[in-house]
Amino acid sequence: MSTVTRPRILVVGAGFAGVECVRRLERKLAPDEADVTLVTPSSYQLYLPLLPQVASGVLTPQSIALSLRRSKKYRTRILPGGAIGVDLKSKVCVVRTITDKIVDEPYDYIVLAPGSVTRTFDIPGLTEHAFGMKTLAEAAYIRDHVISQLDLADASDDPAERAARLQFVVVGGGYAGTETAACLQRLTHAAVQRYPRLDPGLIRWHLIDIAPKLMPELGEKLGRSAQAILGRRGIEVSLGVSIEKAGAEEVTFTDGRVVPTHTLIWTAGVVASPLIATLGAETVKGRLAVTAEMCLPGHDGVFALGDSAAVPDLAKGEEGAVCPPTAQHAMRQGRVVADNVIATLRGQPMRPYEHKDLGLVVDLGGKDAVSKPLGVELRGVAAQAVARGYHWSALRTNVAKTRVMTNWLLNAVAGDDFVRTGFQARKPARLKDFEFTDAYLTPEQVRARVEGAPAEPS
């Protein structure tokens, strides 16, 4: 007696792209039409654009961690772990579970949405001494660390140490770096008022970027406006500058300046997840080369999207243009990929992805913001209303929306608090402790494992 098995759909990654894909598959597929499995180390979706507000304490960590297990109506199996290799020929995904066990997960259709990791360079001391801003744990740790610098400076009688504790360096003039510097500067500016022994003038924030302009995507005028806002707040913006080397107590800039500091936050861009390199497929600047339908050419049933895929940007109408790695594209790509997976299952034609960018929003904290919705340039309170309105509406659940709105209202009425939890005080929390980029297999190791000769990562 033969057993008929349902097609197996494997979705890798629980970011904007992966979660949108899974939820649409659940809504549009009949229960007996396919089995859906989601591979993710954490059973929540992180709303990444609001991470700087967690670091500054405006939002609680739970507010932007949207649980994937909260609702009983979803039927997707969640596999707790990280994908470390994919064998396209055998249709097997190699997963390292959270118990550190390596398992082979077979599939009929795979949706690759593993996201991105922090882009680093071969800079001496960078990964050992810099903090990242890609995870919830990093944001919570940075908040504790920044407040602890005020405490340590207040406790010190050494003027040099005190000055070093109160200098902070953020590398990266994109959205993440600019918002991180702006939000944390507001935190330290408010907090120092509660430290009578500290001179507020000693607190110095540096925002540096190798690019010639701050957030060039905003355009010339808004970019200058954002830089002016930061300047009025006392944040020193240096463009055309990067890090030459980093140490535990000082950072050397490429222009020769040496800044005594215990806080280096690195947000200088992202690159595709190392998982993509395990496929041995064609890439475009590290992102998987896919068609407008987000299919991998030459491999049936393989789809890729989000930060790890070079999805053609048809809305631009320019040859070779690809969609930027933003949340608005990832969410919409997730829905289109789900539709295309279902179309493939049912023998129907797929549709290409096309979406015109809705604009950009940059929340600088308080009443400061710059936004460009649908090409309209806004500043100040109007820009802040648009920025927060966009983020609030993009949150996937009503519970998350309620938590975020409550946090915003509470912060507006009661102001900041300056409590550090100390939960991770004695644990390492630099870049090298969160990215786990050495956990992935090579294409040869993946092949050897699937063929029956397991090979551990080098």
Side-chain angles (χ1 to χ4, degrees):
M1 183 176 178
S2 62
T3 302
V4 178
T5 59
R6 290 187 291 268
R8 298 160 297 189
I9 302 172
L10 185 66
V11 180
V12 176
F16 291 104
V19 171
E20 284 294 323
C21 176
V22 164
R23 293 304 183 230
R24 195 169 185 94
L25 288 172
E26 289 175 327
R27 287 193 297 269
K28 300 187 75 172
L29 280 174
D32 60 349
E33 202 168 356
D35 291 327
V36 182
T37 299
L38 175 64
V39 179
T40 174
S42 305
S43 57
Y44 63 80
Q45 176 194 0
L46 177 64
Y47 191 83
L48 202 61
L50 291 178
L51 210 53
Q53 295 191 34
V54 171
S56 64
V58 173
L59 298 176
T60 60
Q62 192 179 12
S63 302
I64 66 168
L66 287 65
S67 173
L68 300 177
R69 298 188 186 274
R70 186 176 182 87
S71 176
K72 296 179 180 179
K73 69 180 180 179
Y74 297 125
R75 62 181 188 273
T76 295
R77 171 196 168 211
I78 295 177
L79 178 57
I84 59 173
V86 178
D87 188 321
L88 297 174
K89 183 179 179 182
S90 301
K91 292 198 170 186
V92 169
C93 180
V94 183
V95 178
R96 186 188 296 275
T97 69
I98 58 173
T99 61
D100 218 26
K101 181 181 178 181
I102 298 181
V103 299
D104 296 339
E105 190 68 22
Y107 63 84
D108 297 298
Y109 301 90
I110 188 169
V111 177
L112 296 167
S116 56
V117 296
T118 302
R119 179 181 62 184
T120 57
F121 301 96
D122 190 18
I123 298 173
L126 178 63
T127 58
E128 291 82 12
H129 300 293
F131 299 99
M133 269 290 285
K134 279 285 288 178
T135 69
L136 205 54
E138 285 175 309
Y141 191 98
I142 285 175
R143 172 175 166 77
D144 271 14
H145 172 82
V146 167
I147 295 173
S148 73
Q149 297 312 297
L150 298 177
D151 288 339
L152 291 166
D154 188 52
S156 176
D157 294 321
D158 181 352
E161 181 189 358
R162 181 176 289 189
R165 296 274 182 199
L166 298 179
Q167 288 211 76
F168 307 89
V169 178
V170 179
V171 183
Y175 305 110
T178 302
E179 290 186 341
T180 296
C183 290
L184 286 174
Q185 185 275 336
R186 286 191 80 251
L187 172 68
T188 55
H189 179 74
V192 76
Q193 310 302 321
R194 313 298 171 88
Y195 293 82
R197 293 183 69 241
L198 294 182
D199 177 5
L202 289 177
I203 295 183
R204 297 184 62 188
W205 280 86
H206 302 265
L207 175 62
I208 70 173
D209 195 287
I210 196 66
K213 295 180 182 178
L214 192 69
M215 293 182 293
E217 300 88 345
L218 282 173
E220 189 74 28
K221 291 182 180 179
L222 281 185
R224 285 203 304 265
S225 295
Q227 189 167 342
I229 291 170
L230 299 179
R232 286 198 299 270
R233 294 224 204 132
I235 299 175
E236 184 178 330
V237 179
S238 300
L239 300 174
V241 177
S242 189
I243 296 295
E244 184 175 295
K245 62 180 178 179
E249 298 181 2
E250 67 177 27
V251 172
T252 303
F253 293 177
T254 52
D255 62 4
R257 282 180 290 167
V258 178
V259 177
T261 182
H262 294 257
T263 308
L264 171 62
I265 303 173
W266 180 269
T267 65
V270 296
V271 293
S273 166
L275 178 67
I276 298 304
T278 74
L279 276 68
E282 182 184 352
T283 58
V284 178
K285 294 182 179 179
R287 301 167 74 184
L288 200 60
V290 296
T291 66
E293 293 77 19
M294 289 168 284
C295 297
L296 183 62
H299 298 277
D300 294 336
V302 180
F303 301 82
L305 66 163
D307 291 7
S308 287
V311 180
D313 193 346
L314 301 183
K316 280 192 174 181
E318 300 174 8
E319 186 176 353
V322 297
C323 297
T326 61
Q328 64 172 289
H329 278 293
M331 292 169 70
R332 289 164 177 81
Q333 287 171 7
R335 298 167 199 157
V336 175
V337 158
D339 290 343
N340 286 345
V341 171
I342 295 170
T344 304
L345 268 170
R346 297 173 179 172
Q348 299 169 349
M350 294 184 290
R351 66 184 176 100
Y353 171 76
E354 184 171 0
H355 167 67
K356 187 175 182 180
D357 205 302
L358 297 177
L360 309 165
V361 295
V362 183
D363 188 337
L364 300 175
K367 297 178 181 179
D368 294 326
V370 289
S371 300
K372 197 175 182 180
L374 302 174
V376 180
E377 297 187 350
L378 300 174
R379 299 167 181 80
V381 176
Q384 182 66 282
V386 169
R388 294 205 168 180
Y390 173 79
H391 289 315
W392 186 82
S393 63
L395 291 165
R396 189 173 45 81
T397 69
N398 290 330
V399 172
K401 289 180 179 180
T402 302
R403 283 181 175 147
V404 166
M405 183 60 73
T406 301
N407 282 180
W408 279 339
L409 292 173
L410 184 62
N411 183 261
V413 173
D416 298 306
D417 67 70
F418 315 111
V419 176
R420 54 187 174 96
T421 63
F423 292 154
Q424 304 175 75
R426 298 188 181 278
K427 295 182 180 179
R430 301 308 194 267
L431 277 170
K432 66 183 180 66
D433 303 308
F434 282 95
E435 295 291 344
F436 305 113
T437 52
D438 58 349
Y440 296 85
L441 304 178
T442 65
E444 292 76 22
Q445 288 171 327
V446 174
R447 193 80 206 130
R449 176 179 175 80
V450 171
E451 290 178 347
E456 291 296 320
S458 56

